Amino acid sequence: MLNGDAFSTNAFSIELGKFQVETVRDVSGLTLEQDVVETRQVTPTGELLIRKQPGARRTGEITVTRGMDKSTAFTDWIKATLVNADLDSARQNITISLKDAKKNTVRRIHLSNAWASRWQGPSLGAGDSSTATEQVTITYEDLTIE
């Protein structure tokens, strides 16, 4: 791949704790935000002075869309929070690795203390020929990019 070229494909992988998540179709919502603190003051001449500065960093959420397959590790992790209410053991660090056309990792995004906060099953229809997918909303405490 030449320098400056955009990714030729959307190749990525997701590691949840110690295992790789299979059959991921889509990851959305990767954002890094922080609050903006606005301070208003009046100068000695009576002029309004507005200053903005960075505030606290915000936590976030991503949505993972994946195929309904026989993989149990990711499903067990989802159940740990949403069914068993065991948030302490369910908190995991997640790494999303972005890859180039040759499958070399070019960037990693780390989500700290992540847990599944929502699960949505597939839309089922008798005449529908699309694949069955599930969506999982994952809440995390911090995001770092390397």
Side-chain angles (χ1 to χ4, degrees):
M1 179 183 284
L2 297 174
N3 279 342
D5 283 354
F7 289 121
S8 60
T9 61
N10 282 312
F12 61 94
S13 66
I14 299 178
E15 298 167 20
L16 173 65
K18 297 179 176 110
F19 66 89
Q20 185 114 6
V21 180
E22 301 93 359
T23 65
V24 175
R25 183 175 134 189
D26 183 65
V27 175
S28 61
L30 284 168
T31 58
L32 186 58
E33 294 182 75
Q34 77 186 119
D35 291 331
V36 176
V37 178
E38 186 174 277
T39 306
R40 294 174 180 257
Q41 300 173 340
V42 177
T43 65
T45 60
E47 183 180 338
L48 178 63
L49 183 63
I50 300 172
R51 299 275 186 208
K52 293 187 179 188
Q53 62 187 20
R57 208 162 164 184
R58 293 184 185 181
T59 60
E61 292 182 344
I62 63 169
T63 301
V64 174
T65 304
R66 64 185 293 268
M68 302 283 292
D69 61 11
K70 295 180 181 180
S71 171
T72 60
F74 191 62
T75 303
D76 291 344
W77 177 71
I78 295 166
K79 287 180 183 177
T81 2
L82 296 175
V83 177
N84 302 337
D86 188 9
L87 187 59
D88 291 334
S89 68
R91 288 183 188 269
Q92 294 284 333
N93 294 327
I94 294 177
T95 301
I96 300 169
S97 300
L98 305 176
K99 301 180 182 288
D100 63 15
K102 295 180 182 177
K103 305 295 186 229
N104 297 316
T105 300
V106 294
R107 181 165 291 167
R108 286 187 175 85
I109 302 167
H110 301 283
L111 309 175
S112 301
N113 291 323
W115 51 278
S117 60
R118 181 175 184 261
W119 177 85
Q120 180 178 338
S123 296
L124 303 172
D128 193 3
S129 63
S130 63
T131 58
T133 59
E134 65 181 348
Q135 287 189 333
V136 180
T137 301
I138 298 173
T139 302
Y140 57 89
E141 292 180 359
D142 193 26
L143 180 144
T144 55
I145 301 170
E146 72 175 57

